[in-house]
Structure formats: structure tokens, C-alpha cells
Amino acid sequence: MDQQDLRMKAAMIVYALEKALGEYVLQNEELEEDISIGNKNEVISREKTKGNNISNDDLSIIIESSYLNEVFNFAIDVTKGTVFHAYMKSLKEYSSLMKIFDIRNAVSHPNRPFPDCYWYRAATIASDPLIEKLKLTRVRKALISAEAGNITSPPDEWLNSVKWAIPNSLPNSFDHEITGLLGRDKEFKDLNNVLSKARNNLIAVVAPGGVGKTALILQYLKDLTLSPEWSGKIEAVVFCTLKNERLTADGVEKIEAINGIEQIKESILNDLKEIYSGEELTSFDDALNKLEERRILICIDNLETLLMHSQEKFIEFNQSLPLLWRVIVTSRISIDSATTVSLEPLDKKHAVNLGRNYFRKRGVNNFNHEDLERIAEAANNNPLAIRLTIDLYIKGIDITLSIDKSQKNIALFSYTNLIESLRKESIAILEAIYATGDSTKSELIEFLDFTNEEITESINELSKTSLIIRSVSDYGNDNYKLSDSVRDLLLVNPKNIEVRTLITNNLKRRKVKVLEQKYRDQKLGLTEFDESFVESDTEEAIYALIADLNKYTQSNIKRSHDNLVDIKKRFVDLLNYYPNNFQLHFHYSRVLKEFRDSNEIRYLNRAKELKGDNPRISLAIALYYFYNKDYHTAEFEFSNLIDKRYNDPNLSNENYSFSVTKCYLQSLLHQGKYDEIMAFTEGWEENANWYLQYGIHRASSLKRSVELEVEYSKNIQSTVKTIRASMEIFNKIFNKEGYDSSVCAEAYKLIRLFESILNYKDKYPKDFLLECVSFIASRFSEMVIRLKEVDIDSHNIQVLLKKFYNLDIENNPLHVVKWYDPKPKNVYDQEHIKELVLLDYTIVDVYHIPEDDNESFPNFIFAKDKSGDQYYLNVRNFEGGWYRWVYFEKGTKLAIKFIESKKGYNQAHTAIEIIEVEKVE
């Protein structure tokens, strides 16, 4: 059936429905008081903006001026309290589901396709039983007439006037109508989503010239003005364009256009005067005041013409507009504070279709599909480039020459002015990408010496203009390159030759980094056994990055987490380019170790796969399992290194062999493999390299082997013999090597075992107990000085010493030592506490001392005041320094001043001054 016939038949039903609903409301005028005041006022207010004053009591005029949706609402209002209320609500819901408002819009546009489904949907509504129930007989009669072919067109006034059309100053015709707007469904949805959010008061459609920004926004706004769902959100649409040039087959043509903010205001004012003719607007400021409560959408096309000279003036102009006014612009340049909708070239399918349509509209039908695809591909699917190429071809220019000429013209037209308007950092990045060919963010930061924020901001600006092409690597990294058009433009017209020189200089600086690392390796004698070693044949980019990592990890000052994050990103980028470089995998594992990331082992294993038997990779793998408490696997890995004799410093180096030896013995110790330790450390006194480590672990192994036998030992003599052997080793080490802190820490554990023995002292020989007390008497005073976590005056230690002091043995050596006094210790000076409180100090008690993996006293502790508030205390804020700090224990009383935590309830406050409370006898 002919589309026009379907349109008229559907129009008959929609017209009948609209008239029937209006008559229904008027027939029930006695129920007018049930009509929502808000519904009536919305119609009256809208008509007032058009210069039509309607009385609140004139229901018939209100109905005539109402949209179909509003007439439905009136009908629902007047049926309240009746059986028809539910029917009317159902009819509106069903009609909405059938897209009745879209059908109403479509019947009023004879030059647009009319989908067959619209007729069938209209007929479905008219044939629904609800029509009969509500006695809307006019609708049923219209259906019967339409089906019988008795087509009676609705009045022209009704057909030609879409009541919900939003007043606007859009052009009557658009350039793109010759081919239609193709392939922009996604962008329509994006615009709809962005404009639907009330907080988006400034929206920018950003793309290079020729991509179709103007065509998109004009078609979108035209549809919007004819969409009933927008009629309650936007009251008027004002359009102005700053387009001052047009690209044709004959070149760039200048166009007379608006220029500057004042002319923009003048253009907007003239349109507002026409739309709001009853307001008598005298100036732009007058319009701002009088129309402050109106929901007005302003569209400014080709705003880059203004932005290239003064973006600040436009931002100032936008901020001066009323809150309910909104602005949408098209531009080749991104705008600060705008919500951006980016516009990409068409996809291949729609680009080819556009070319086909344009050929046909130009009267050419004898073209082949291959040429269409060739034109679309050469034009990078740019609509303007496609049309320009076809125009040149129709003028008689060979298709190859047409493509070449259009590409050059498009580059000049689309990018020249745009590039010149960019931030200097963005232009520098363009030049850097031109010089490098394909850049990652980390390379740009390295080459240009910009901050991460500057790089990010400029990349965002460039990405919004389509000057650069972004791709994502398999590892999720962004890579950037220039489009062919931009590359061609920069080839003949460099924008910043200094940047190209800068990149060269930065490449030189990278060489300096490499030389410094090589000099360091040579000076320190670093080899493949050292973690920070770099292979001599390493590529410069990788060499420089490893040098930066080494500098970070070896820094003695406070290290910046941001620097580490940046190094991590650069490693990820390079791993993408060099996926089989073992050094990148190995050193990236070091970065992950800094982040406490368990993926560290994944990259270590990959490095081992690539390099094979590399000693520093093997040690790193062994240490990973050790520090993650997988001692069984760690033992296996360390054992392999020992089999290669890497525990010999002459065959590796001192640090490497120390780590292998100590961690291997620790792995055995943690697994309770005491016999293996005893066998491995046999002849320990003669081992020049590892006398100390072998002795410590041998003594510790002996002690641990009998820890659980103290109470239930079936062979006391064997237990005593083992403990004596452990004591003997410690004594030998103390006598030969002095009081090394690591030895003192293990010997202290032996003394704690002595304390357990006292609980069962009747089982043990007196002479053995005497030996235990003698060990304490002769060693403990020197040991405790080296043990930061042990305070000889602490309650726990005093209890321990008193137990041995009171032990009933002949000639108890603790009775004669000068360093121990069993008398009660000092108590806190209450007068001093009062003085401190008067000086605004807070009195706190230490309640938590974190454990340290290195068995040394931590540099921070936690305390509470009498109210239970928690405080974080650091040694750097303690007047007594480390010397007194290490004697603190749970219960130690301190005076502090602090700053309150901003993190909320139950968060520790930070002490900024710490004083030790004095004690008295």
C-alpha cells in the first residue's frame, strides 16, 4: 500500500483520538475541579511564552492548546472516582506503548518515510475494547472509514502544526539532507543521555572538520523539537553558527559569519525576540533577566572560531547565563568544563552508503562498489572528504588525483587552525609522536619532561579532537600515533621544531643515565649475582628504566609512591614492546615486590623461562617463597643454589652467598629439620665464611629440638646435654665475635627457655640450673643493650630475673652482679604528671608495640589515654631519641601533644611531641 495512503489513514485515527479525548473532557466539564492545577498551568504558561494569554477558566481553549499527552492527562483527571479512571489510564499506557506520539509526529512530515507499522499500531489502538468502554466512538468510526478506503484527511492546520514542536531558530534546510544522516545512532543516544542529565549545562560535540558535527547537531535538535518528551524540559532552541569557511571542490570559500561574543549575543537576542515576541526584549541582559525562568537551549556551531582566540571569554559568557539555560556547541577544540561527546568518522558500511547516495543525488549511477570502498578508505570514512572526492571526480579529475587532492585539502581545512589553537604541551606531544612514530604515555613523559598531569591533560585534549589515534595493547596500555592527514601536514608544516630538538636532547640524557648505571656497576663491581645489575647489551630504553628503578630502590630519602607507580607503568609499556626480554620481567618483579603484589613470582618464572640458569633470578625466586613462608619450596630452591656452590662468596659474592646461606638455614629451622641443620653445620668452628651463621643456627636448632620436652622429657639427661650444647655455642660466639645483635636475639630465646625450666626445676640437676643462672649473670647485661625490644627495667624482665635471683642454689651468681638489683623499681612522679597536664600535655599509656620482622624495636607504637582515645607515636617526635625509645613497653606512661585525626571515629590521633614521664623512688 502507498506510504501516503498509510500516513493519511493513521492521521485519521490519531486526529480522531485527539478530538475524542478533548470532547470527553469537555463533556465532563462539571468535573473540571478534578483537573490538576499543575497540568492546566503548564499549558497556560507555555502559551503565554508564545504571546497567547489563556484564561484559567476557559477549558475549551486550554484543550485546543494542549499536546496529546496533556489531553490524556486531563481525561484521566476527570475520570477520577469513576469506573472509567482505570480504563483511561490503561488507554494512555497502551497508546504510549504503541508509540502514538511518534505516529503523531510522523504524519505531519510528508517528506519523511512513514513506516508501515505506524498504521497498524494506530489501527490496533482504535480497535482495542478500551475505545468502546470509554465510548470514544469517533475513533472507531475513523478506523472503519480508513479500512474501507474512505480516506478523509484531517484539517491542514492540524497536519501542519505539531503542537508539541518546541519553538526554535533552526535552519529550514540542512546541507546533509541531500544524502541523509547515516550511521549516527550511537551519537544520537550519547547526546540524548548527556542532555537528559540536568547538571550538564555545557555540552560540546568535538571532532575535526568534515566529520559531520553540524549535520549531527542540526538533525538531533530538529528531532528534539518535534519530540513530545522534550517539550516539558526545553521551551525554546536558539541556533547560531560561527562557521566562516566552507570546503568545496574549488577550495576553501570564506563565508560571512558571526564573529565574537558580542555578535553571538546579538544573534541570540534576535532569535529570542522572535520566539518570545510578547516579552519586548530590549537587550541581551534584558533577555537574561526576563527569561531567567525559561528552559532555553542555545546551540553554537563551529565554536572553535572563537575558542582559538579566547576560550576564557566564552567560559565567562556561559557562566553569565541563567541556571535554567543550557548550551550545546560543536567545535574542533575541546572546552574546559564542558561535557564532551566525541564524534568519530563513519564506519565503513555507512561511509560507502553515503558515497553511493551522493553519487546518485549528483546524477551518477554508473559507479562500481570497489570505487566506493576505495574513496571511503582513502577519506578515512570522513563524510566531507567523501563528498569532496566525488565532486572532484564529477568535475572530470581522475579518481586517484581526486583522492589525493581531497586528502590534502581536508588536512588543511580540518587541522591547520585546530593545531594552532592547541595548548603548547599538546602541540609538543604531536611533534613527539611525529618524531617517534608510535608513543606510549611513559615515553612521552620521559622524552618531553612534562609532568604526568600535563601529559594526561594534553592527551585528553588531543583525543577529543581526533588529531591522534589511540589504540590499546594486549597489556591494556594506551598507544598513540598520528593520522595520515596530520602526519602529512606536520611533514610540510612543522609546528614546533624545538620539540624535535628537545626529544633529541632527551635521548642524549637517556644515554647519560645508561652511562651512569654502567659506571656504577663497574665501580661497585656488580655482576650477574647482584639484583640491580644490568646486562651490557641491554637496549637503551630498558637500560634507562632499570637505572631509574635502581635509583628509586637505593634512595636513602623518603621515596615517592607516585614515582614507583610511574616506573611500574613504564615497565608495563616496555613489556608490551619487548615481551621476551628476561631483564624486563625480572626487574618488573622487583617493582611488584615493592607493591607487595603476588604476581611477582609470575614474572620471575617467566624471566627464568627466557634466560634459564641465571643466579639472580634463581635467588629472587627462592627469596619469594621464603618471605611468603613457603619454606619447603624455598629450601628446594636454596638447595639448588648451594649445589652450585653459590654459598661460597668466592664463587658468587658476599651479599649473595650470605642470603643463600642464612635463608637456607632459616628454611630448615622453620620446618623443624634440626638434624639437617646439625649435619649441614658440622665443623662450624672451622668455617671461615659462615662461622657466625652456622653457629647461631646450630645453637638455635639445639634449643628448638628440646623446647617441647622441658615438661615431659623422658630423658632429662639428654635434654640437659642438648641445652648445654646450645649454651656452649653461644658462649664461644660471644667470646670470639662479641655481642652481635642477631646472636643476642637467639640467645635471649634460650634464656626464655631457662624460664620454662624453672617451672619444673625439681626435675633438673642443681649444677645444670647453676649453669643456666651463670649464663644469665655473665651475658644478659651485654645482650640487653643490643636488644631494642627488651628493657631490663620492664616488668616482664624484672619478673624473669627475680625468678632466677630467688632460685635456691648455692652461690647464686645473680646475688653478686652489679647490674641487677631485686628491690622494687621507681614509680611515676605524680607532681610531674600534674605539671605536664597544666602545660596542655595528654597523659597516655603504651598499649601496643608492633612486632618487627627484623626483630628490632619498631619506630612507632600506639598508646591510649584514660578515655580510651588512641594515639600514634613515632620516635622522630620523642625528645629522648632511640636511646630511651627502645626501653618502652606496654604500660609505659608518656606525655604527648597531638593533632586530631581527620579520618573519623576510632582512628588514632598523631602525636607531634612526646615526653617521658619521670619516676620517683
Side-chain angles (χ1 to χ4, degrees):
M1 187 177 292
D2 183 76
Q3 275 195 353
Q4 288 295 73
D5 287 344
L6 292 178
R7 185 192 309 275
M8 284 298 101
K9 289 168 70 174
M12 289 172 62
I13 292 175
V14 177
Y15 176 72
L17 176 62
E18 193 170 318
K19 297 298 289 184
L21 288 170
E23 291 168 356
Y24 190 97
V25 175
L26 293 174
Q27 288 168 6
N28 293 277
E29 193 168 356
E30 69 276 5
L31 300 174
E32 182 182 354
E33 62 183 21
D34 291 329
I35 295 178
S36 167
I37 295 175
N39 287 341
K40 292 171 68 175
N41 285 343
E42 187 170 344
V43 177
I44 293 169
S45 176
R46 182 177 63 247
E47 288 303 303
K48 186 177 180 181
T49 65
K50 301 177 182 179
N52 302 324
N53 293 317
I54 302 176
S55 169
N56 188 55
D57 299 326
D58 197 341
L59 184 59
S60 62
I61 299 299
I62 292 175
I63 295 295
E64 287 180 15
S65 304
S66 298
Y67 303 160
L68 177 57
N69 181 56
E70 292 166 340
V71 179
F72 257 124
N73 290 337
F74 293 152
I76 291 171
D77 285 344
V78 299
T79 58
K80 286 178 182 176
T82 72
V83 68
F84 299 109
H85 185 65
Y87 297 160
M88 192 63 76
K89 287 182 66 177
S90 296
L91 180 60
K92 181 186 177 184
E93 291 172 1
Y94 185 57
S95 297
S96 297
L97 183 64
M98 291 291 104
K99 303 291 185 182
I100 189 66
F101 304 111
D102 291 344
I103 298 171
R104 171 65 179 93
N105 188 15
V107 298
S108 296
H109 292 86
N111 295 323
R112 293 188 186 177
F114 186 81
D116 293 356
C117 65
Y118 279 6
W119 152 245
Y120 294 112
R121 288 177 182 177
T124 301
I125 295 169
S127 60
D128 192 274
L130 288 168
I131 298 294
E132 291 294 334
K133 290 179 180 180
L134 290 165
K135 297 181 173 51
L136 303 176
T137 55
R138 176 191 282 265
V139 180
R140 180 55 61 89
K141 288 179 181 179
L143 173 62
I144 294 171
S145 295
E147 288 181 325
N150 299 322
I151 300 176
T152 304
S153 174
D156 288 342
E157 181 182 3
W158 182 86
L159 279 174
N160 297 329
S161 173
V162 181
K163 287 183 179 177
W164 55 74
I166 300 171
N168 63 81
S169 62
L170 295 173
N172 292 324
S173 62
F174 309 148
D175 291 341
H176 68 272
E177 287 182 344
I178 189 172
T179 58
L181 189 68
L182 302 174
R184 292 307 187 191
D185 291 346
K186 176 185 178 298
E187 287 78 5
F188 263 57
K189 291 178 182 177
D190 291 344
L191 278 170
N192 224 42
N193 290 335
V194 170
L195 194 59
S196 295
K197 296 179 175 64
R199 66 177 177 274
N200 293 330
N201 279 337
L202 176 58
I203 302 165
V205 178
V206 178
V211 173
K213 302 182 296 296
T214 302
L216 172 72
I217 201 64
L218 283 174
Q219 189 63 59
Y220 174 76
L221 292 177
K222 186 66 175 178
D223 290 355
L224 178 146
T225 61
L226 297 173
S227 300
E229 61 265 27
W230 281 103
S231 61
K233 303 174 185 176
I234 294 175
E235 298 178 17
V237 176
V238 175
F239 177 84
C240 65
T241 181
L242 278 64
K243 190 173 186 177
N244 58 12
E245 60 184 15
R246 177 173 57 226
L247 182 61
T248 69
D250 297 320
V252 177
E253 294 181 357
K254 292 295 181 180
I255 303 172
E256 185 175 348
I258 294 171
N259 182 19
I261 287 292
E262 293 306 317
Q263 290 190 23
I264 290 176
K265 291 180 179 179
E266 183 180 352
S267 174
I268 294 172
L269 175 61
N270 290 335
D271 289 341
L272 290 175
K273 283 180 177 180
E274 184 173 339
I275 294 172
Y276 296 98
S277 56
E279 292 290 349
E280 297 183 0
L281 305 175
T282 59
S283 68
F284 187 75
D285 289 339
D286 186 41
L288 297 183
N289 293 327
K290 290 180 178 178
L291 303 178
E292 183 178 8
E293 299 301 322
R294 303 298 183 187
R295 295 186 291 273
I296 297 173
L297 176 62
I298 297 173
C299 177
I300 306 175
D301 186 37
N302 285 87
L303 187 65
E304 71 276 355
T305 306
L306 174 66
L307 297 179
M308 284 187 293
H309 305 291
S310 179
Q311 184 161 155
E312 293 75 15
K313 286 185 178 179
F314 172 74
I315 298 298
E316 183 180 340
F317 160 77
N318 181 57
Q319 291 174 346
S320 72
L321 300 178
L323 289 177
L324 293 179
W325 291 28
R326 305 173 73 182
V327 177
I328 186 167
V329 305
T330 69
S331 175
R332 302 179 192 178
I333 301 172
S334 61
I335 305 171
D336 295 339
S337 74
T339 300
T340 300
V341 176
S342 296
L343 190 60
E344 302 295 334
L346 295 172
D347 60 28
K348 179 180 178 181
K349 171 187 171 183
H350 290 106
V352 171
N353 285 339
L354 184 145
R356 179 182 293 108
N357 291 349
Y358 195 61
F359 262 123
R360 288 173 176 167
K361 294 293 183 180
R362 296 296 307 274
V364 179
N365 293 307
N366 57 336
F367 50 83
N368 60 62
H369 187 74
E370 290 74 19
D371 283 340
L372 289 175
E373 289 191 340
R374 183 181 172 194
I375 291 171
E377 181 179 0
N380 293 318
N381 298 337
N382 181 301
L384 179 60
I386 293 171
R387 291 196 295 268
L388 180 61
T389 302
I390 292 173
D391 284 341
L392 291 168
Y393 176 70
I394 291 174
K395 289 183 69 173
I397 300 176
D398 176 78
I399 192 168
T400 301
L401 294 177
S402 295
I403 290 172
D404 182 61
K405 185 176 181 180
S406 67
Q407 283 181 319
K408 290 179 180 178
N409 288 343
I410 283 289
L412 290 170
F413 177 72
S414 300
Y415 300 115
T416 300
N417 293 337
L418 176 57
I419 291 175
E420 291 174 355
S421 70
L422 294 172
R423 292 154 33 95
K424 64 178 182 180
E425 292 86 357
S426 300
I427 293 176
I429 287 176
L430 282 179
E431 289 286 2
I433 297 174
Y434 176 87
T436 59
D438 197 346
S439 296
T440 64
K441 185 177 176 182
S442 61
E443 286 178 318
L444 292 173
I445 292 173
E446 178 185 357
F447 287 143
L448 295 174
D449 201 26
F450 290 166
T451 65
N452 185 47
E453 291 73 19
E454 289 171 330
I455 293 289
T456 299
E457 186 174 353
S458 294
I459 285 177
N460 286 340
E461 180 181 31
L462 291 168
S463 296
K464 292 174 182 177
T465 63
S466 300
L467 286 167
I468 61 175
I469 299 172
R470 172 182 173 270
S471 59
V472 181
S473 71
D474 293 337
Y475 284 89
N477 297 302
D478 290 339
N479 300 322
Y480 306 98
K481 65 179 182 180
L482 302 179
S483 67
D484 293 339
S485 299
V486 177
R487 179 168 289 281
D488 291 343
L489 180 62
L490 291 178
L491 175 65
V492 298
N493 187 16
K495 296 300 177 184
N496 194 333
I497 197 66
E498 290 81 7
V499 167
R500 299 185 190 183
T501 304
L502 176 66
I503 292 175
T504 302
N505 292 335
N506 280 310
L507 286 171
K508 291 178 181 178
R509 281 199 290 270
R510 190 164 74 178
K511 289 181 182 293
V512 171
K513 282 185 187 178
V514 172
L515 290 173
E516 287 177 349
Q517 177 68 36
K518 288 182 176 179
Y519 175 75
R520 177 180 175 276
D521 289 355
Q522 183 179 6
K523 184 177 180 181
L524 298 177
L526 300 184
T527 67
E528 61 177 349
F529 292 95
D530 294 287
E531 182 182 56
S532 59
F533 176 72
V534 187
E535 304 282 339
S536 60
D537 59 350
T538 303
E539 291 192 35
E540 276 193 1
I542 301 174
Y543 214 130
L545 180 54
I546 298 172
D548 286 340
L549 174 61
N550 290 338
K551 184 177 180 180
Y552 174 86
T553 57
Q554 293 154 10
S555 175
N556 292 324
I557 60 176
K558 185 176 180 181
R559 300 183 294 190
S560 167
H561 179 74
D562 289 342
N563 287 346
L564 183 61
V565 170
D566 178 62
I567 290 172
K568 180 179 184 292
K569 290 179 180 177
R570 290 167 59 195
F571 264 105
V572 172
D573 286 343
L574 284 178
L575 278 165
N576 178 55
Y577 293 115
Y578 306 100
N580 296 321
N581 186 287
F582 90 92
Q583 286 194 104
L584 280 175
H585 285 275
F586 171 72
H587 290 287
Y588 185 55
S589 76
R590 294 172 57 199
V591 176
L592 295 178
K593 181 168 66 175
E594 294 287 333
F595 281 104
R596 305 291 192 270
D597 190 329
S598 60
N599 283 313
E600 171 193 354
I601 190 61
R602 169 188 164 196
Y603 286 90
L604 285 172
N605 286 331
R606 178 59 179 153
K608 187 174 183 179
E609 289 174 10
L610 294 169
K611 184 62 175 176
D613 190 20
N614 180 275
R616 67 181 182 279
I617 297 175
S618 298
L619 177 60
I621 290 173
L623 289 172
Y624 171 84
Y625 288 116
F626 177 79
Y627 288 118
N628 283 280
K629 304 187 187 311
D630 184 352
Y631 299 116
H632 175 74
T633 307
E635 175 198 347
F636 173 78
E637 297 291 343
F638 285 121
S639 180
N640 288 336
L641 296 175
I642 289 172
D643 290 343
K644 296 180 176 64
R645 297 182 62 194
Y646 287 156
N647 60 326
D648 184 345
N650 297 313
L651 298 178
S652 54
N653 63 36
E654 187 173 342
N655 290 334
Y656 189 98
S657 57
F658 174 81
S659 295
V660 171
T661 302
K662 179 180 178 180
C663 293
Y664 172 67
L665 290 170
Q666 285 283 307
S667 298
L668 293 174
L669 196 63
H670 283 297
Q671 296 179 84
K673 294 185 176 182
Y674 307 127
D675 290 340
E676 286 88 334
I677 293 175
M678 297 303 291
F680 186 79
T681 59
E682 186 70 34
W684 67 278
E685 293 182 76
E686 286 75 39
N687 191 303
N689 292 320
W690 307 121
Y691 168 86
L692 192 63
Q693 286 300 316
Y694 281 14
I696 292 173
H697 287 86
R698 190 175 182 85
S700 296
S701 181
L702 288 168
K703 174 190 72 72
R704 292 195 182 196
S705 68
V706 296
E707 281 178 337
L708 300 179
E709 299 178 5
V710 170
E711 180 179 359
Y712 301 108
S713 176
K714 296 180 180 179
N715 189 339
I716 292 295
Q717 289 184 342
S718 175
T719 301
V720 168
K721 180 179 179 182
T722 301
I723 295 175
R724 278 175 169 162
S726 180
M727 265 194 291
E728 181 182 0
I729 293 173
F730 281 123
N731 280 323
K732 286 181 178 180
I733 294 175
F734 286 143
N735 291 335
K736 182 176 181 180
E737 300 290 337
Y739 291 87
D740 183 89
S741 59
S742 61
V743 184
C744 292
E746 291 301 318
Y748 177 66
K749 295 175 184 177
L750 179 64
I751 291 174
R752 282 298 186 183
L753 180 63
F754 295 166
E755 184 180 19
S756 299
I757 290 172
L758 287 186
N759 295 328
Y760 315 100
K761 59 182 179 293
D762 294 339
K763 291 184 178 182
Y764 291 89
K766 292 283 187 179
D767 60 333
F768 170 70
L769 295 175
L770 179 60
E771 289 179 47
C772 292
V773 179
S774 297
F775 184 85
I776 294 172
S778 61
R779 303 298 183 187
F780 191 72
S781 63
E782 291 294 333
M783 287 168 52
V784 77
I785 297 173
R786 278 81 178 177
L787 298 174
K788 292 182 179 180
E789 76 280 9
V790 180
D791 181 0
I792 198 168
D793 292 325
S794 69
H795 176 74
N796 292 338
I797 297 300
Q798 287 300 311
V799 169
L800 180 145
L801 293 174
K802 196 164 187 178
K803 286 180 182 179
F804 288 102
Y805 185 89
N806 293 334
L807 185 62
D808 186 17
I809 54 175
E810 188 175 352
N811 297 322
N812 186 324
L814 274 179
H815 292 177
V816 296
V817 296
K818 296 181 179 180
W819 55 266
Y820 175 64
D821 184 357
K823 295 178 181 178
K825 298 299 176 183
N826 298 335
V827 296
Y828 291 105
D829 187 341
Q830 295 302 313
E831 291 300 321
H832 187 220
I833 290 176
K834 291 179 181 178
E835 292 175 6
L836 291 168
V837 171
L838 290 174
L839 294 173
D840 292 329
Y841 285 90
T842 299
I843 307 302
V844 298
D845 296 309
V846 176
Y847 77 90
H848 177 60
I849 300 177
E851 294 182 2
D852 192 286
D853 291 340
N854 298 320
E855 298 180 345
S856 59
F857 199 84
N859 63 356
F860 66 94
I861 57 178
F862 294 91
K864 289 182 179 180
D865 62 18
K866 63 182 180 181
S867 299
D869 289 341
Q870 303 174 55
Y871 301 87
Y872 168 83
L873 284 62
N874 194 292
V875 65
R876 65 173 176 266
N877 297 314
F878 174 50
E879 65 173 7
W882 271 106
Y883 177 75
R884 290 297 307 162
W885 181 264
V886 298
Y887 289 104
F888 292 167
E889 61 181 346
K890 290 182 180 180
T892 297
K893 198 174 291 295
L894 302 167
I896 66 167
K897 289 186 178 180
F898 64 92
I899 54 175
E900 291 188 2
S901 169
K902 296 181 179 179
K903 297 182 179 180
Y905 174 72
N906 207 28
Q907 295 294 321
H909 308 303
T910 301
I912 56 175
E913 185 179 346
I914 306 170
I915 295 176
E916 197 170 3
V917 177
E918 295 176 359
K919 299 177 181 178
V920 295
E921 293 293 334

